[in-house]
Amino acid sequence: MVLPVIYHEIYSQLELPEKHRYPILKYKFLYESLLSQFSQNIKIFHPNSVSLKKVFRVHDLEYINQLINNKLSLSKMRRIGFPWSEQLIKRTLLSTGGTCLTAEIAINHGVGIHCSGGYHHAHSSFGSGFCLINDLAIAAQSIIDQSLATKILIIDCDVHQGDGTATIFEKNPDILTLSIHCEKNFPSRKPNSDYDIPLEREMKDYEYLDYLKSIIPIIIKQNNVDFVLYDAGVDVHQDDELGYLKLTNQGIYERDFFILNLCKNLSLPVACVIGGGYRNNHQDLVPAHMQLFKAAIEVF
Ligand SMILES: [Zn+2]
């Protein structure tokens, strides 16, 4: 089949201060690489901005109004880590719309991959760590609200714990959260997900994959999961500047292949986001993020 890929050019269009940590160009570089390597295997979809109605299902009304109108306090903006701009808000709403579209496409096609997304540090009433609003939470809630699934599992393999998603769905039995992350890393306070797998620093491919393969199938089976949202963050890579794990590109490929293949074999729709990945040279992130697409083309 042709793999549905969701992208918008705004993902790489944001002016940031010099030496800002956020890899703003990686989205564009990844997209260019996909077009040059896999143009026969993919179909591109462009999202619209998410509706505020969907955002308010997950987020605090006052927080979102202040965020959109540049009324957040300096300390709240500092916790987010971006200078406020209209473009930042536009980009955030489009990117969240992209994850929602990816989830809907996955329901219809079995799979969809968003070339953005994974803003898992956004809580209901505040943003944090480059995350303003939680696209994973909004997309999951929207799938439930449309009765397109009854039990969603969010598999978060970004190296950082999915603290925002964990607190948002703390008391929601329809949406389960699983975070596989490096224990000694941001965020310092890690509220409980439904399932947390904290890993020691320096962990390599073999041990990482062993954890993953032994745990995920059991969680899916025990809970009768009928939809998966997958955050395929590559900040688990050994060369990442914000992660402390030691995975290789091959390890990331095997991780992504395992999860996608498992979903396919169980006829579980799976919506993927690319998640985190931090290097000074944004182009260097492309090979790591490409593993998800290679695995998906292989599986589907
Ligand atoms: Zn991360």
Side-chain angles (χ1 to χ4, degrees):
M1 72 173 269
V2 175
L3 181 70
V5 170
I6 293 79
Y7 177 77
H8 196 289
E9 60 189 10
I10 200 172
Y11 297 163
S12 279
Q13 295 170 343
L14 182 65
E15 279 203 40
L16 293 173
E18 217 180 311
K19 292 193 177 163
H20 193 281
R21 178 70 85 170
Y22 196 77
I24 193 69
L25 296 176
K26 79 173 182 182
Y27 307 95
K28 184 178 128 194
F29 291 152
L30 177 63
Y31 181 65
E32 286 167 356
S33 185
L34 280 169
L35 289 185
S36 75
Q37 285 187 51
F38 295 126
S39 61
Q40 305 298 313
N41 310 88
I42 60 173
K43 180 172 187 221
I44 307 294
F45 294 83
H46 301 288
N48 294 316
S49 297
V50 67
S51 69
L52 287 182
K53 196 179 156 199
K54 282 187 185 174
V55 176
F56 291 140
R57 287 286 291 131
V58 161
H59 284 281
D60 180 65
L61 189 110
E62 193 187 355
Y63 166 59
I64 296 299
N65 283 333
Q66 288 181 341
L67 175 70
I68 289 174
N69 298 305
N70 192 17
K71 293 280 192 317
L72 278 184
S73 67
L74 214 63
S75 65
K76 280 203 160 185
M77 275 315 293
R78 221 176 273 134
R79 183 159 190 184
I80 287 170
F82 288 126
W84 191 92
S85 64
E86 273 179 24
Q87 185 78 352
L88 174 67
I89 302 304
K90 209 173 148 189
R91 180 184 180 276
T92 300
L93 296 174
L94 267 158
S95 182
T96 306
T99 301
C100 292
L101 177 61
T102 306
E104 283 161 27
I105 285 174
I107 293 280
N108 292 320
H109 294 77
V111 64
I113 305 187
H114 188 201
C115 291
S116 176
Y119 297 98
H120 58 173
H121 301 308
H123 291 63
S124 174
S125 60
F126 64 93
S128 172
F130 306 142
C131 303
L132 289 80
I133 64 179
N134 195 316
D135 61 306
L136 294 165
I138 291 167
Q141 187 63 56
S142 156
I143 290 295
I144 293 288
D145 288 347
Q146 295 176 73
S147 303
L148 296 173
T150 57
K151 189 73 90 175
I152 296 180
L153 176 64
I154 301 177
I155 302 176
D156 188 338
C157 286
D158 190 282
V159 82
H160 304 101
Q161 197 235 9
D163 58 339
T165 327
T167 50
I168 286 169
F169 293 132
E170 193 187 358
K171 296 189 178 101
N172 187 330
D174 304 327
I175 300 167
L176 304 172
T177 53
L178 160 65
S179 180
I180 304 164
H181 53 268
C182 179
E183 182 165 27
K184 287 186 182 151
N185 202 335
F186 181 90
S188 54
R189 204 182 77 81
K190 297 178 179 62
N192 290 337
S193 313
D194 290 294
Y195 303 92
D196 281 294
I197 305 174
L199 306 173
E200 281 171 30
R201 285 187 178 192
E202 314 292 323
M203 190 174 279
K204 293 191 166 90
D205 290 348
Y206 177 78
E207 219 180 329
Y208 180 92
L209 291 166
D210 226 31
Y211 273 110
L212 197 102
K213 291 179 181 178
S214 62
I215 286 161
I216 295 179
I218 296 171
I219 295 175
I220 289 177
K221 210 170 175 189
Q222 278 181 347
N223 293 287
N224 291 318
V225 170
D226 59 4
F227 186 81
V228 168
L229 250 175
Y230 174 41
D231 183 335
V234 301
D235 40 15
V236 292
H237 193 280
Q238 58 191 2
D239 296 333
D240 196 87
E241 288 158 16
L242 296 183
Y244 299 100
L245 300 186
K246 293 271 179 239
L247 267 71
T248 63
N249 280 341
Q250 181 60 28
I252 290 172
Y253 177 84
E254 285 178 35
R255 175 193 74 173
D256 296 345
F257 184 93
F258 175 78
I259 290 172
L260 294 173
N261 198 45
L262 179 70
C263 290
K264 188 181 180 222
N265 288 339
L266 296 171
S267 300
L268 268 178
V270 55
C272 313
V273 301
I274 63 168
Y278 302 90
R279 296 191 214 176
N280 196 26
N281 183 339
H282 303 173
Q283 189 77 56
D284 289 348
L285 287 161
V286 171
H289 281 301
M290 284 295 276
Q291 303 307 317
L292 175 66
F293 299 86
K294 283 185 192 162
I297 288 167
E298 189 62 35
V299 169
F300 292 94

